[in-house]
Amino acid sequence: MTDDTATPDVLIAGAGLSASLTALCLAARRPGLRILLLDRRAEPGRDHTWSFHDPDVTPESRVWLAPAIAHHWAGQEVRFPAHRRSLPTGYNTVTPGALRDAVAAQPDITVRRAEVAAAAADALHLSDGTTLRAPLILDARGQRKSPHLALGWQKFTGLELQVPDGHGLRHPVIMDATVAQRDGYRFVYCLPFGPDGLLVEDTRYSDHATLDAASCAADAMAYAQEQGWAGATELRRESGVLPIALALDARALWSAQAGGAVPIGLSAALFHPVTGYSLPMAVRAAEVIAASPRLDTADVMTRLRDFALERAREQSFLRLLNRMLFRGCPPDERYRLLERFYRLPVPVIERFYADRLTWADRLRIVTGRPPIPLHRAAACLAERPLLSETRE
Ligand SMILES: Cc1cc2nc3c(=O)[nH]c(=O)nc-3n(C[C@H](O)[C@H](O)[C@H](O)COP(=O)(O)OP(=O)(O)OC[C@H]3O[C@@H](n4cnc5c(N)ncnc54)[C@H](O)[C@@H]3O)c2cc1C
């Protein structure tokens, strides 16, 4: 890392996931740029792990992303009351340590601790009164409320456990929905980091954003005991309340950014509508930025906005699925939609997570025996009324 931060080419408010990935992509694709990230936290991204499926990122993206990937598995599985399945789709986890080391290995990227009070098109104004300027200003300060987005929630608490006699899992369990259903669609997610270490996350797709972390943690520990992982001890804990998009007015959301810094990551609502995961979108957005001929705020804003509007159009189907899940299905029945989804062919499931569904895939997902009664499905079709509710 360099100390030469006097005249950066790119200034980023925040040094979390999207900021770090954008900086790594710029360093790889546009070498020589001086990039400065400012974060209020001493250890940005601490107590997160960010995972993704192999097909979520292209082989070209993987080239610059690879140093941040700490774990890779060759397959994964899901478990439902009436259906269990192993899938041959590889899975990956980026850890805060690996991400930090990947960034620190780039001589042209600097990360500094600072509270950003305001992000403008040409400057970041810090809370200590300092103003820093650069041709390109990005705002990566994370999730924010928007009247142009109606949401459900994926909330979870994960425990990283040490299991003295080993846990026996070879691959991640992406969803174990054989557990009692509560607070919406509930499942447990397990990532085996080593023979005796794993992350066990108790997750709910809920109508409410309030997370009872203590009770989720107790449920995760009870699950570990039910699996026979005797003597499991907690090493670390992570919690999240992720946005699940039921309705979005992307045009209005981007109009509200006009004239300011370019939002990236969750602050630009760049996440998978059904999972709330943002890593794959952050990778794609970083490449849009790196491909901008002029790396200034105005040019990048136009290109990223076009990308985001196109994604929002393509994702309208995913938001419809969310409305069917959250508004068309009683909370304790929601797991049935996922159980049915996981009977589809592997390529359809992979394209669903990678946000690259074809029209044939979409048809395949909604045809067959309706997962919810037709009158309830019909009531979920319109997106606009939910936005009016949000704005009231
Ligand atoms: C525990 C957890 C696990 C997750 N797991 C996954 C996963 O497996 N896969 C996936 O794709 N997604 C996952 N997500 C969802 C999403 O990808 C993450 O939330 C991701 O970190 C969002 O990236 P971001 O850059 O938008 O925001 P963040 O990574 O949250 O970064 C925002 C940064 O801005 C800083 N900041 C905020 N305000 C200011 C300010 N005023 N001045 C200076 N700095 C400021 C914050 O300190 C923070 O470091 C997870 C989320 C959580 C919470």
Side-chain angles (χ1 to χ4, degrees):
M1 270 196 274
T2 174
D3 285 335
D4 179 16
T5 56
T7 53
D9 299 296
V10 184
L11 258 176
I12 311 184
L17 182 70
S18 61
S20 301
L21 294 182
T22 304
L24 286 175
C25 180
L26 284 170
R29 300 267 169 102
R30 306 288 287 265
L33 292 171
R34 283 151 307 173
I35 306 165
L36 174 59
L37 282 59
L38 300 171
D39 203 290
R40 57 158 58 135
R41 297 181 67 186
E43 296 176 69
R46 205 183 138 195
D47 297 330
H48 280 69
T49 46
W50 299 282
S51 300
F52 62 97
H53 306 268
D54 274 356
D56 292 353
V57 303
T58 63
E60 295 76 29
S61 308
R62 207 174 171 102
V63 171
W64 60 262
L65 183 61
I69 300 172
H71 303 279
H72 177 260
W73 300 270
Q76 50 181 279
E77 70 172 270
V78 290
R79 301 173 186 169
F80 292 93
H83 180 57
R84 262 179 181 232
R85 189 169 180 192
S86 292
L87 297 110
T89 311
Y91 203 65
N92 309 268
T93 297
V94 167
T95 57
L99 186 60
R100 187 193 54 233
D101 292 349
V103 168
Q106 294 299 326
D108 294 326
I109 305 177
T110 304
V111 181
R112 253 174 49 191
R113 192 163 182 197
E115 173 79 26
V116 176
D122 59 349
L124 290 182
H125 303 285
L126 309 189
S127 58
D128 66 3
T130 314
T131 293
L132 298 173
R133 297 188 185 279
L136 174 56
I137 311 282
L138 303 175
D139 186 353
R141 284 180 288 172
Q143 203 166 328
R144 59 172 84 145
K145 229 172 139 47
S146 167
H148 311 302
L149 194 53
L151 297 171
W153 306 97
Q154 186 200 161
K155 50 194 197 185
F156 54 84
T157 294
L159 305 181
E160 193 169 330
L161 300 177
Q162 178 81 26
V163 184
D165 298 327
H167 47 69
L169 286 183
R170 286 183 49 236
H171 295 139
V173 180
I174 299 299
M175 287 178 180
D176 183 346
T178 59
V179 293
Q181 295 298 297
R182 60 177 78 113
D183 196 6
Y185 169 45
R186 172 174 174 239
F187 62 91
V188 177
Y189 167 88
C190 297
L191 294 181
F193 292 141
D196 55 4
L198 87 168
L199 180 73
V200 179
E201 219 157 69
D202 193 89
T203 307
R204 290 106 199 256
Y205 269 63
S206 169
D207 301 317
H208 312 287
T210 313
L211 171 72
D212 183 345
S215 124
C216 271
D219 286 341
M221 193 53 107
Y223 176 87
Q225 271 146 22
E226 281 157 25
Q227 301 304 304
W229 299 330
T233 51
E234 181 180 333
L235 302 177
R236 185 184 71 80
R237 192 178 278 212
E238 67 181 59
S239 287
V241 180
L242 308 190
I244 302 300
L246 305 181
L248 169 66
D249 182 347
R251 235 165 238 293
L253 189 137
W254 279 85
S255 294
Q257 310 298 329
V262 185
I264 59 173
L266 289 189
S267 70
L270 290 172
F271 57 88
H272 189 291
V274 182
T275 64
Y277 277 18
S278 74
L279 186 145
M281 286 278 269
V283 166
R284 285 164 87 169
E287 293 186 343
V288 170
I289 294 169
S292 299
R294 283 202 347 251
L295 279 174
D296 62 29
T297 302
D299 200 37
V300 170
M301 179 74 95
T302 306
R303 283 162 194 280
L304 201 65
R305 176 180 178 276
D306 290 350
F307 164 78
L309 293 186
E310 194 254 335
R311 291 310 328 134
R313 258 192 316 276
E314 286 289 316
Q315 291 170 343
S316 66
F317 174 76
L318 297 175
R319 295 193 296 276
L320 169 64
L321 292 183
N322 285 338
R323 293 196 294 282
M324 287 165 71
L325 185 68
F326 279 85
R327 300 290 163 109
C329 210
D332 57 352
E333 293 287 311
R334 286 177 189 165
Y335 78 92
R336 290 185 194 280
L337 265 74
L338 278 299
E339 188 173 61
R340 182 177 177 276
F341 168 78
Y342 267 105
R343 292 181 190 275
L344 291 167
V346 169
V348 179
I349 295 170
E350 290 182 343
R351 287 194 289 270
F352 168 85
Y353 281 112
D355 186 16
R356 297 180 200 273
L357 285 174
T358 65
W359 281 103
D361 294 338
R362 292 169 212 213
L363 213 59
R364 187 137 199 191
I365 290 171
V366 290
T367 48
R369 202 158 59 86
I372 59 175
L374 278 177
H375 70 278
R376 281 216 220 118
C380 298
L381 287 177
E383 187 164 0
R384 292 263 153 194
L386 282 190
L387 289 170
S388 316
E389 282 174 28
T390 311
R391 287 166 187 160
E392 271 163 15

